[in-house]
Amino acid sequence: MTSATFHGPSNSTTSNGIVAQLAGTLIPLKTTLETSKDVKLLNVFITAVPLKKASGTLSLIRQLIPRDGGYDLQHLRRFAKPDLIPSAIRNSYFASSAESSDTELIFLIVAVASIIPKDILLDSLQKDRVEGPVVLVEGQIPFNAPTSAEQAKAWTNEYWPTVYKKSNPFGPHPAIVARAQAEIEGNAGKWLSLAWTVAAEAKTARTGEGVGVVIVERSEQGERCLAVAGDARWDNWPRDCGGNGNVTAHAAMRAIAMVTAKLPNAIPVTETDIFRSQPLFSLETDVEEPVNKDGYLCHELEIYCTHEPCVMCAMAIVHSRFGKIVFEKRMDEGGITADLNDKNDGLGHGLWWRRELNWTMLGWEFRRKGDGNDGNECRLPWDVDNGLNA
Ligand SMILES: [Zn+2]
């Protein structure tokens, strides 16, 4: 572990040198599916028809292949003017077509290629055609809807005119994320500051690493802090035997244990409890009782973490059914993020939102604003060892 250098205090700080209300921005996390570079493509037949025949041709296609054979093409323009489609499709069509250049044409997606043989499709369309042979060219279209306006634009240039409808097939709906973000952004900096403060206590006491977690319940009565926990991996644990300390005493595990200890039917904790769920630091005692005691473990609660939790803690957070997670320091061994960090490190597990797990939540990375002493550079209270399992 690297030695710690404290960077505080500055003007509006707590006694530990940590700013009481951190200023910063919440960046919604990306899911593993959103960060995947693979675009699933479908092969389709495309043709062009005189503009005045467009709706008649589409009616014919709909009789021939009701509901597009079950494929959802809502994110694609069905018709597109020649200058709006990729030149490869346009050139391929005009290379085979005898269409006169003064006919005003419009291109359209006829059908997904796997659901109808080309000769049957050609025959059917030809019966409706008065002049010249029908030409079908093959192209590729994105199978899923785009997740951003930028992606829609890129797909329009590469495949076919694509529409971004503010939906997200690969993660939480943008409207849900925006609403939740508006709810939490006022106090996220305050809860993170509290997490850093308890982290400083753990670090100074040498009971654990400088990692802290705060759990918040949001209800009609407002926000209530249900647990504050610092890392306690070295509490009554030998440092000189190698290893990484007591993994069940990571800050997130302790905070979860503290909340669940307050629920009905909780197993009474003992002083030798391996989760170290009894308060060890002064801030850990200043918490409230949950309003909703009927929920499952940490159902829909919010968890604020100084560091991106390790894989073990990330799974514990998912299985405890938190509603939201916010963390500040992205970690090489973190289990939450799906995309790689700026050094191209990271595990990429993206455990906060994966369809195959039994629970998904909303997640943000908190980007701290510079404190004025060092321009806009993000400055944490001390140097963080990126390789730490938080
Ligand atoms: Zn952990």
Side-chain angles (χ1 to χ4, degrees), residues 55-128:
S55 65
T57 306
L58 186 58
S59 300
L60 178 67
I61 292 167
R62 288 195 165 141
Q63 281 170 25
L64 201 60
I65 310 160
R67 298 183 307 284
D68 290 314
Y71 284 92
D72 182 1
L73 306 178
Q74 298 287 319
H75 56 291
L76 301 158
R77 299 250 183 242
R78 192 65 188 240
F79 292 98
K81 289 182 178 170
D83 57 338
L84 294 180
I85 63 171
S87 55
I89 297 175
R90 200 169 51 231
N91 295 343
S92 167
Y93 179 84
F94 286 116
S96 313
S97 164
E99 217 79 57
S100 81
S101 59
D102 53 2
T103 311
E104 198 178 354
L105 292 176
I106 192 151
F107 280 78
L108 83 150
I109 298 171
V110 180
V112 174
S114 62
I115 56 177
I116 186 164
K118 190 174 182 179
D119 52 349
I120 292 178
L121 194 54
L122 273 173
D123 268 2
S124 308
L125 293 176
Q126 194 64 58
K127 284 177 194 150
D128 192 50

Side-chain angles (χ1 to χ4, degrees), residues 93-362:
Y93 179 84
F94 286 116
S96 313
S97 164
E99 217 79 57
S100 81
S101 59
D102 53 2
T103 311
E104 198 178 354
L105 292 176
I106 192 151
F107 280 78
L108 83 150
I109 298 171
V110 180
V112 174
S114 62
I115 56 177
I116 186 164
K118 190 174 182 179
D119 52 349
I120 292 178
L121 194 54
L122 273 173
D123 268 2
S124 308
L125 293 176
Q126 194 64 58
K127 284 177 194 150
D128 192 50
R129 185 86 168 198
V130 181
E131 296 167 16
V134 172
V135 172
L136 286 177
V137 295
E138 287 194 42
Q140 289 191 308
I141 55 162
F143 174 76
N144 285 301
T147 58
S148 67
E150 297 74 47
Q151 192 170 48
K153 195 174 168 195
W155 287 357
T156 295
N157 292 333
E158 192 169 355
Y159 304 111
W160 184 264
T162 307
V163 189
Y164 173 54
K165 291 185 171 174
K166 295 195 173 167
S167 63
N168 185 1
F170 304 121
H173 193 283
I176 292 171
V177 177
R179 205 178 312 131
Q181 187 166 323
E183 246 177 17
I184 66 168
E185 62 194 351
N187 279 336
K190 181 179 100 177
W191 299 125
L192 278 173
S193 171
L194 184 56
W196 280 106
T197 309
V198 75
E201 277 199 63
K203 188 173 188 60
T204 307
R206 290 180 50 79
T207 316
E209 303 294 338
V211 177
V213 165
V214 169
I215 294 178
V216 172
E217 179 185 59
R218 183 176 302 275
S219 68
E220 286 173 3
Q221 286 80 43
E223 290 162 70
R224 295 151 59 88
C225 177
L226 302 189
V228 177
D231 185 275
R233 72 187 67 189
W234 301 116
D235 179 54
N236 283 318
W237 204 273
R239 283 180 184 258
D240 50 6
C241 296
N244 297 312
N246 175 4
V247 293
T248 59
H250 285 187
M253 300 297 276
R254 291 191 66 222
I256 292 168
M258 287 174 186
V259 169
T260 53
K262 292 173 190 160
L263 298 177
N265 306 322
I267 299 164
V269 288
T270 62
E271 280 183 21
T272 54
D273 161 42
I274 196 166
F275 288 96
R276 302 292 190 269
S277 57
Q278 302 281 25
L280 291 171
F281 312 114
S282 63
L283 281 169
E284 295 182 351
T285 54
D286 192 18
V287 293
E288 300 186 57
E289 291 287 308
V291 170
N292 175 19
K293 291 199 177 194
D294 301 326
Y296 172 80
L297 296 177
C298 298
H299 189 256
E300 292 298 350
L301 298 181
E302 297 169 6
I303 186 163
Y304 296 84
C305 312
T306 54
H307 300 58
E308 178 184 359
C310 70
V311 175
M312 176 195 68
C313 290
M315 279 307 279
I317 289 166
V318 171
H319 288 311
S320 301
R321 301 193 183 173
F322 279 89
K324 305 182 186 86
I325 180 167
V326 178
F327 67 84
E328 178 161 8
K329 183 72 183 80
R330 199 178 256 256
M331 301 300 284
D332 292 351
E333 301 293 316
I336 295 292
T337 48
D339 48 340
L340 301 181
N341 62 19
D342 48 12
K343 296 199 311 295
N344 246 9
D345 286 326
L347 300 174
H349 291 333
L351 294 175
W352 69 283
W353 202 100
R354 289 187 68 127
R355 281 212 184 100
E356 62 271 42
L357 297 180
N358 70 341
W359 185 255
T360 57
M361 54 192 165
L362 301 177

